[in-house]
Amino acid sequence: MSSSFETKVVHQKFDQKQVQNSKNTPIYQSTAFTFKDLDHLESYYEGDVPYLYSRERNPNTDELSDAIATLEEAEAGVATSSGMSAILAGILATASPGDHIVAADDVYGGTHKLLNAELDTFGIEVTMVSFADLEQVKQAIKENTTLLYTESVSNPFLRVEDLSGLVELASEHGLYTMVDNTFATPYLLQPAKEGIDLVVHSATKYIGGHSDVTSGVLVGKQELITKATQKVVTLGANLSPFEAWLTQRGSKTLGLRMKQQSHNAKVLAEALAANEHVQQVYYPKHVSERGNGAIVTIELAETVQVESFFQSLGWIKIAPTLAGVETTVSYPVRTSHRALSDEERQQIGINDYVIRLSIGIEEASDIVSQFEQAIQASIK
Ligand SMILES: Cc1ncc(COP(=O)(O)O)c(C=O)c1O
């Protein structure tokens, strides 16, 4: 070893092959992997060595995508930099320039924007219709349609998609199906088992679960995941090893969290339905045997002053996200659906009184009393 400082400071002592038997997978915070000679390098291209360059593949992102594919009972998966990039990768794996997509008109605001403001630059045409009526979806299918896109539980009104009806319609027309399963999570629903081709997650939400990481996962049929992975690699939409590690660590408590959060949400939905200052409570009647999810959307009655409701929430914070362990509230008009025109919002029923509640793991009775207190304090 050369004795000059400049060389020693770079080549610090490190035995890459030493096996530590660590209980958790270490973070492979490395942009690339090294090779002892040219034969070893060649073995990567022959498929005998898995890793070369982290944008293409990394043990931490592999571990995350494998874990979610297993939970979803899907053939394969790919981890991405965000839910949005997972959605884009899935779309680009199923539609090419000149193709057409039929998508649900009540998808997450960011997805709405991607479909309407960006996909035309890829030469992909989009028609948005209500998926509550599959006849409307059928009418929207054209010669060049390749994909039907929707969410298993919609945002913010929590409409539960008829997945088997969708699969049947798609197979009649030889189309791919892709479902955003962010709100339901594989704890409640496993759309791939119903025959859905691609399932996407904003892992930023329940899979990560702690509001400390932005990430996405796309799982589904091997052939489509191979294509989507190619898009992720080329577009540089890969997830960093640290963020993959954080997401996977969070995912280990998904079962416990969803169980508690779904229970709390049900208790709150029942309490708010009995409150005369709440015009409407949106909470699904049946998502799965395990529960109905942890989001409750309410429309306050006009007897409530909305600004003052937000000011009276005490320990419940206003946050433009969902799915953390803490109960939070968001205001679709100002956040998730801000990019939509008034007309588009009106069409899907979002008005100034609609508020989305993301229920956490706290004690249910504390959550109920905090919301009741906020409503009481803001009556006009
Ligand atoms: C249902 C749904 N899908 C996709 C996304 C986008 O995910 P991300 O913010 O991780 O890109 C969100 C974000 O809120 C979402 O709620």
Side-chain angles (χ1 to χ4, degrees):
M1 178 69 164
S2 157
S3 56
S4 74
F5 178 87
E6 285 75 4
T7 304
K8 270 198 295 190
V9 77
V10 175
H11 295 276
Q12 296 174 10
K13 196 167 174 346
F14 166 56
D15 181 357
Q16 290 156 303
K17 299 217 179 49
Q18 206 180 337
V19 176
Q20 302 287 355
N21 290 328
S22 60
K23 185 165 180 289
N24 286 308
T25 308
I27 304 169
Y28 287 84
Q29 195 70 27
S30 182
T31 56
F33 298 82
T34 58
F35 298 88
K36 67 177 190 298
D37 54 32
L38 293 181
D39 283 345
H40 189 202
L41 175 64
E42 209 48 39
S43 62
Y44 167 80
Y45 293 97
E46 282 160 12
D48 299 330
V49 169
Y51 303 110
L52 174 87
Y53 190 59
S54 280
R55 176 162 54 75
E56 300 193 349
R57 211 176 154 188
N58 173 284
N60 296 107
T61 54
D62 271 6
E63 197 172 330
L64 171 65
S65 55
D66 288 353
I68 306 308
T70 303
L71 294 176
E72 287 279 5
E73 298 194 27
E75 288 173 18
V78 58
T80 64
S81 59
S82 65
M84 291 310 299
S85 54
I87 294 168
L88 178 62
I91 288 174
L92 296 181
T94 49
S96 305
D99 287 343
H100 171 249
I101 292 173
V102 183
D105 61 2
D106 54 359
V107 290
Y108 161 66
T111 309
H112 201 285
K113 203 169 170 192
L114 169 71
L115 295 170
N116 285 299
E118 300 296 339
L119 282 192
D120 60 344
T121 62
F122 290 90
I124 299 168
E125 199 196 335
V126 182
T127 303
M128 300 191 86
V129 294
S130 167
F131 273 45
D133 174 12
L134 286 181
E135 193 49 41
Q136 276 197 43
V137 181
K138 190 173 173 177
Q139 295 305 323
I141 295 170
K142 304 202 291 188
E143 281 266 290
N144 57 342
T145 306
T146 56
L147 173 68
L148 303 181
Y149 181 92
T150 189
E151 294 173 356
S152 53
V153 177
S154 74
N155 175 19
F157 292 119
L158 313 168
R159 184 179 60 79
V160 183
E161 194 60 80
D162 169 10
L163 295 178
S164 57
L166 197 68
V167 168
E168 201 179 310
L169 178 63
S171 67
E172 275 165 20
H173 293 81
L175 307 177
Y176 291 119
T177 48
M178 179 167 164
V179 164
D180 184 329
N181 201 31
T182 299
F183 276 35
T185 83
Y187 178 77
L188 297 178
L189 287 179
Q190 294 152 310
K193 272 171 70 182
E194 307 264 344
I196 296 293
D197 298 305
L198 285 172
V199 179
V200 67
H201 282 278
S202 168
T204 314
K205 308 296 176 338
Y206 291 107
I207 289 181
H210 296 77
S211 314
D212 54 7
V213 58
T214 297
S215 54
V217 181
L218 179 74
V219 303
K221 303 246 163 76
Q222 179 67 66
E223 167 215 348
L224 292 176
I225 292 298
T226 303
K227 278 193 194 170
T229 304
Q230 209 49 57
K231 304 292 178 190
V232 170
V233 171
T234 311
L235 296 172
N238 57 295
L239 185 62
S240 85
F242 178 53
E243 313 236 54
W245 183 91
L246 265 183
T247 307
Q248 203 209 346
R249 182 179 68 157
S251 75
K252 291 181 183 174
T253 54
L254 179 65
L256 281 175
R257 285 185 280 109
M258 280 310 282
K259 191 173 181 180
Q260 179 71 18
Q261 288 171 270
S262 297
H263 165 77
N264 289 352
K266 182 170 179 284
V267 172
L268 179 71
E270 283 165 5
L272 294 181
N275 190 309
E276 59 177 316
H277 300 289
V278 178
Q279 174 75 25
Q280 182 88 36
V281 175
Y282 298 90
Y283 188 65
K285 286 202 172 50
H286 183 80
V287 175
S288 91
E289 301 307 317
R290 292 185 146 161
N292 299 321
I295 304 293
V296 179
T297 297
I298 57 171
E299 183 178 340
L300 289 170
E302 289 182 15
T303 47
V304 178
Q305 218 275 328
V306 174
E307 302 267 336
S308 140
F309 170 79
F310 279 108
Q311 280 162 8
S312 311
L313 283 165
W315 52 264
I316 298 173
K317 303 274 190 310
I318 304 168
T321 187
L322 60 115
V325 290
E326 311 87 357
T327 297
T328 56
V329 295
S330 94
Y331 196 31
V333 169
R334 299 266 186 97
T335 56
S336 57
H337 292 71
R338 192 183 183 108
L340 273 60
S341 66
D342 284 347
E343 272 168 20
E344 285 170 325
R345 275 198 294 265
Q346 216 173 348
Q347 205 183 338
I348 53 178
I350 293 174
N351 63 36
D352 291 350
Y353 289 90
V354 170
I355 300 168
R356 192 186 67 197
L357 322 177
S358 168
I359 309 309
I361 62 170
E362 305 93 342
E363 178 58 42
S365 58
D366 291 339
I367 301 171
V368 171
S369 65
Q370 188 60 271
F371 277 113
E372 285 179 342
Q373 218 172 292
I375 292 171
Q376 202 55 39
S378 49
I379 294 168
K380 284 178 191 164

